[in-house]
Amino acid sequence: MILLCLVLGMAPFFPEPHLLGKIKWIAGGAVGMSGKDWFDVLLHGFPFVLLIRLVILKLMARFKK
């Protein structure tokens, strides 16, 4: 899952990771973002959502025991 986050979530890496650029754009007010850009955020952000979900499920299983 971490590999998926690094490859899909951050590609292309140069000049800056793609997802970080999109997050900066959203934090700046998302001026000029089209539907394509929002879909791109979802596509590149989804592996991180899955990783967070996996970590939460593992932690919950650990605390149940």
Side-chain angles (χ1 to χ4, degrees):
M1 188 58 63
I2 292 173
L3 183 62
L4 183 65
C5 287
L6 292 175
V7 174
L8 180 61
M10 296 303 221
F13 299 100
F14 296 104
E16 70 179 354
H18 196 64
L19 185 61
L20 294 180
K22 295 288 184 180
I23 291 173
K24 286 180 186 178
W25 195 1
I26 292 170
V31 177
M33 284 186 76
S34 65
K36 176 183 78 164
D37 296 315
W38 287 105
F39 176 74
D40 204 28
V41 170
L42 293 175
L43 177 70
H44 288 279
F46 192 66
F48 291 98
V49 172
L50 292 177
L51 179 65
I52 292 168
R53 178 185 172 272
L54 181 66
V55 168
I56 290 171
L57 290 175
K58 293 284 184 181
L59 288 174
M60 287 175 59
R62 180 175 287 180
F63 287 121
K64 272 188 177 178
K65 291 181 181 182

